[in-house]
Amino acid sequence: MVTESSGSPVSNARLSVSNVFSGQTEETLTDASGHYCVSKLGLGNYEVIVVAEGFPTSKSRVRLAAGAPQTLNFQLGGSSSKAEAQSGGTEPSLL
């Protein structure tokens, strides 16, 4: 999920998810509720870049392992942007 520092969702934020080793990149946009999903990613290390109009660009790295989908939440705005990761589930993906 992508939110502002106030907790309000950020719609139409562009997320670029790049495999650090292969360079393969997948892109998606957040919906009106700030949610996004990038599925069918291979195992490995990824860099996630979030770009939204009116906010500084946010970057984070995440490692996808077998049987461990990641939930990566971004909070944009304020003095800095931050990301929080959680794992769970059965298939490598970012939610």
Side-chain angles (χ1 to χ4, degrees), residues 4 10-14 50-57 76:
E4 321 182 2
V10 176
S11 62
N12 293 316
R14 180 173 301 281
V50 181
V51 177
E53 188 174 333
F55 296 97
T57 298
L76 307 179

Side-chain angles (χ1 to χ4, degrees), residues 8-78:
S8 298
V10 176
S11 62
N12 293 316
R14 180 173 301 281
L15 287 95
S16 176
V17 181
S18 299
N19 183 293
V20 174
F21 178 72
S22 72
Q24 179 182 355
T25 300
E26 298 289 333
E27 291 190 347
T28 192
L29 295 173
T30 57
D31 64 16
S33 299
H35 292 101
Y36 70 94
C37 180
V38 181
S39 58
K40 299 182 182 176
L41 295 171
L43 306 178
N45 295 314
Y46 289 84
E47 180 176 61
V48 182
I49 300 173
V50 181
V51 177
E53 188 174 333
F55 296 97
T57 298
S58 181
K59 296 180 183 180
S60 185
R61 289 207 173 201
V62 64
R63 177 173 175 77
L64 295 181
Q70 296 286 317
T71 299
L72 192 58
N73 296 313
F74 288 88
Q75 187 178 63
L76 307 179

